[in-house]
Amino acid sequence: MYLKKINMKKIIPLAAIIVIALFSLFSFVSLGDKEHDKRLVGIWKGFEVDKQYEGVEKHWIQQRFENGTYVIMFTSKQDCEIQTFTEKGKWWTKDGEFFEQSKSSKSIDVYKYTVDNPMVVSFKSVVLLGKKDDTYVFSDYKVDLD
């Protein structure tokens, strides 16, 4: 029986890359025992004008996954200038509150939320950017892909 000689110089770096990638993925995705209201899972869209920032119109599309991660794409318009950006992070729910933590931020935004019907969720801020703030109100509308 002929066994091909394994080149360990190639295998060890490849194994290290795989281990690091898996650790990074699971450390970000693992949310322990946090709750995820299944009614919030899916693709949602929303918009607001002058609610968070005077003179700014924002539109977004967000996908919340069952594992507690999300991705959101924002488009904002101010003085005829348009900017777009994306954000990834973790989300969870507890006792009627929605928690959202961007991968790029240590602070956790907190909102009270109500599911108005299967297609509409209303949010009211409690904490934004690490500070108490109950002034920001918006709704998400489920995107029906059927």
Side-chain angles (χ1 to χ4, degrees):
M1 181 179 220
Y2 176 77
L3 293 175
K4 191 173 184 179
K5 191 175 182 179
I6 298 173
N7 186 343
M8 293 304 285
K9 288 183 180 178
K10 291 182 181 176
I11 297 294
I12 291 173
L14 179 61
I17 289 170
I18 292 170
V19 168
I20 290 169
L22 288 173
F23 177 77
S24 297
L25 175 67
F26 288 117
S27 67
F28 184 71
V29 170
S30 176
L31 297 173
D33 60 352
K34 294 185 176 163
E35 302 169 23
H36 304 99
D37 187 333
K38 292 187 185 293
R39 298 174 296 174
L40 303 181
V41 172
I43 300 173
W44 299 82
K45 64 182 177 178
F47 67 94
E48 58 98 331
V49 180
D50 295 331
K51 288 189 178 179
Q52 193 170 22
Y53 302 106
E54 182 73 28
V56 176
E57 178 181 331
K58 290 194 314 188
H59 298 259
W60 60 88
I61 295 177
Q62 179 174 32
Q63 184 165 11
R64 292 187 203 97
F65 299 95
E66 286 187 37
N67 68 1
T69 60
Y70 73 87
V71 62
I72 186 168
M73 184 184 80
F74 288 100
T75 301
S76 64
K77 182 173 79 171
Q78 181 177 20
D79 299 327
C80 296
E81 294 289 324
I82 296 175
Q83 294 183 341
T84 61
F85 63 95
T86 58
E87 175 182 295
K88 294 179 182 180
K90 299 183 248 184
W91 72 275
W92 63 97
T93 56
K94 185 175 181 180
D95 300 329
E97 290 188 325
F98 175 84
F99 300 83
E100 190 172 66
Q101 182 177 27
S102 167
K103 193 173 181 180
S104 63
S105 173
K106 293 189 188 279
S107 66
I108 298 170
D109 292 340
V110 182
Y111 302 88
K112 293 276 188 198
Y113 75 96
T114 56
V115 178
D116 302 332
N117 65 58
M119 301 301 285
V120 180
V121 179
S122 296
F123 295 88
K124 181 176 183 179
S125 62
V126 176
V127 176
L128 294 177
L129 301 171
K131 298 177 183 175
K132 285 187 177 187
D133 182 341
D134 64 356
T135 63
Y136 186 46
V137 178
F138 64 93
S139 294
D140 277 354
Y141 303 88
K142 191 148 196 179
V143 176
D144 187 4
L145 297 177
D146 294 331

